[in-house]
Amino acid sequence: MSMKEFLFTSESVSEGHPDKVADQVSDAILDQILIRDPMGRVACETLVTTGQVVVAGEVTFNQKNCCPLDVPGTVRQVIKEIGYNDSAMGFDYKSCGVLNAIHEQSAHIAQGVDTGGAGDQGIMFGFACNETKELMPMPIMYAHKLVKKLSELRNQGKIKYLRPDGKSQVSVQYINGKPVRVTSVVVAAQHSDVATSKLRKDIEAQVIRKVIPAELLKSAKFYINQTGRFEIGGPHGDTGVTGRKIIVDTYGGRGRHGGGAFSGKDPTKVDRSASYMARYVAKNIVAAGLADECEVQFSYVIGYAHPLSIMANTNGTSRVSEELIVDLIKKNFDLTPKGMIKTLNLRRPIYQKTAAFGHFGRTGSEFTWERTDLSKKIRAQAGL
């Protein structure tokens, strides 16, 4: 971004948002298959609406010597964990209908993947910057932390009227490419019977001011449940579908997006594995000090293992040439599907946890793409 001064805004949604419910169900099905067969192939889509869940897609896994896949039971467990446990919400894990339309994967797709090639064509982007300790853009990190705080307060019973659905939005002012202050914060929290004035007071004090440092909020405006009541939410308030929150899942609009969603896809699908690898690459480049920000792009074609193109863009913040950065990427990272799966240990049942609060900027053993273990090596190779 070349402008000297601008505002940038990112949004996030809670685990009870209908699209995120769908993402978590799809990834829970993926996890259940990987538990049974780490080499399983999954492309699972979910739709949720009032009192109904539809699960469809293509799967292939070794079903010998393992327990059957319980799709309805998995779906209900996810919904229970999210917090839809009362029919008064219009969506309830005990009473919702579950339609299972999963079938076996096409052999035509499998024949390209079986040889180690990519599971599809496509373009994937990864991004990192030094605006936060997570090496993520500031707007999306605070947006995630706000809805995560809503979830924590609800689950801990500290704000008893909160329900699972919620959204956030954070606008940040940048001067000369650096974030200097938050100009506005938007929070919409689903709730039961509570006065709007009390909700707004609680959300400001216990969520916004607990998450965002005071020095960034000096002149910020708050918009909390701006229309007033938000009692009807979740799948009862709006239909949810897997893969509709791809910008929330990634960088909040900073950097570009290849268009492919993550949830419900096993790691042979480069939409997922190559996007995770691109984040790993970009984060190590920034952690190595080669640039203040870095966006990388890979492209693949079905059935072929190596990327057709590799690009690095540092937006003028690099301390070495971008051509050298591309050479270092080629030298240090195995970008074949098998190489990415091995490097990031992706054949594990880790995916349900990724399906809420963003796939990047996270901590924990599941999020191997957040490591910066190659940064010192890359820095030395770059001669810095």
Side-chain angles (χ1 to χ4, degrees), residues 101-382:
I102 291 176
H103 58 88
E104 191 170 355
Q105 184 187 56
S106 164
H108 292 165
I109 295 175
Q111 68 185 2
V113 181
D114 290 341
T115 59
D120 201 355
Q121 72 175 54
I123 57 175
M124 298 83 204
F125 289 93
F127 184 81
C129 62
N130 59 11
E131 294 175 12
T132 63
K133 64 182 177 62
E134 298 88 355
L135 299 187
M136 287 283 287
M138 183 180 287
I140 189 65
M141 281 310 302
Y142 281 134
H144 285 326
K145 289 178 179 181
L146 289 169
V147 289
K148 186 74 181 295
K149 190 67 173 179
L150 282 176
S151 177
E152 290 172 356
L153 292 169
R154 175 175 61 85
N155 288 320
Q156 293 167 1
K158 293 182 178 180
I159 301 184
K160 297 184 183 299
Y161 56 77
L162 288 177
R163 286 181 169 175
D165 199 356
K167 302 181 76 172
S168 67
Q169 187 170 285
V170 177
S171 298
V172 175
Q173 181 186 28
Y174 287 76
I175 297 177
N176 295 323
K178 302 296 182 181
V180 296
R181 68 184 183 101
V182 173
T183 61
S184 65
V185 179
V186 180
V187 176
Q190 187 191 13
H191 57 86
S192 58
D193 189 23
V194 64
T196 301
S197 58
K198 176 173 173 52
L199 180 144
R200 287 174 174 165
K201 182 178 179 181
D202 288 346
I203 296 302
E204 178 178 340
Q206 298 188 51
V207 178
I208 297 173
R209 295 196 180 277
K210 294 292 186 182
V211 166
I212 302 177
E215 61 268 22
L216 293 175
L217 290 175
K218 288 181 179 179
S219 58
K221 294 183 178 180
F222 301 151
Y223 303 88
I224 303 169
N225 281 37
Q226 189 66 14
T227 58
R229 313 301 293 171
F230 182 14
E231 295 180 72
I232 300 173
H236 183 46
D238 191 11
T239 298
V241 180
T242 300
R244 287 206 302 198
K245 287 293 176 283
I246 58 177
I247 301 304
V248 171
D249 284 345
T250 52
Y251 309 101
R254 283 288 297 278
R256 286 164 282 197
H257 197 293
F262 301 157
S263 290
K265 297 177 181 177
D266 75 81
T268 67
K269 279 74 172 176
V270 286
D271 276 342
R272 184 165 218 161
S273 54
S275 294
Y276 288 175
M277 192 68 171
R279 164 64 176 170
Y280 178 54
V281 169
K283 189 173 184 181
N284 273 275
I285 294 297
V286 173
L290 272 62
D292 292 338
E293 68 176 69
C294 183
E295 178 186 71
V296 298
Q297 184 207 47
F298 309 142
S299 69
Y300 291 86
V301 63
I302 189 168
Y304 187 71
H306 295 276
L308 303 184
S309 66
I310 300 171
M311 180 276 295
N313 174 25
T314 63
N315 197 26
T317 68
S318 62
R319 296 165 183 84
V320 298
S321 71
E322 291 173 349
E323 291 79 9
L324 175 59
I325 291 175
V326 171
D327 288 342
L328 291 170
I329 293 171
K330 293 176 180 178
K331 182 177 181 179
N332 290 282
F333 300 93
D334 185 344
L335 302 180
T336 65
K338 285 184 177 180
M340 295 185 293
I341 289 169
K342 180 180 179 182
T343 298
L344 301 179
N345 195 13
L346 297 179
R347 293 198 184 277
R348 299 176 294 149
I350 60 173
Y351 296 103
Q352 184 183 344
K353 190 172 181 179
T354 71
F357 311 117
H359 293 246
F360 305 128
R362 304 285 296 275
T363 58
S365 61
E366 298 89 350
F367 300 93
T368 52
W369 46 93
E370 293 298 316
R371 300 186 317 233
T372 56
D373 52 316
L374 292 181
S375 60
K376 290 183 179 179
K377 179 180 179 182
I378 290 171
R379 183 176 177 83
Q381 291 175 353

Side-chain angles (χ1 to χ4, degrees), residues 14 36 48-49 65 95 268 374:
S14 72
R36 289 159 174 78
V48 296
T49 188
N65 302 318
S95 60
T268 67
L374 292 181

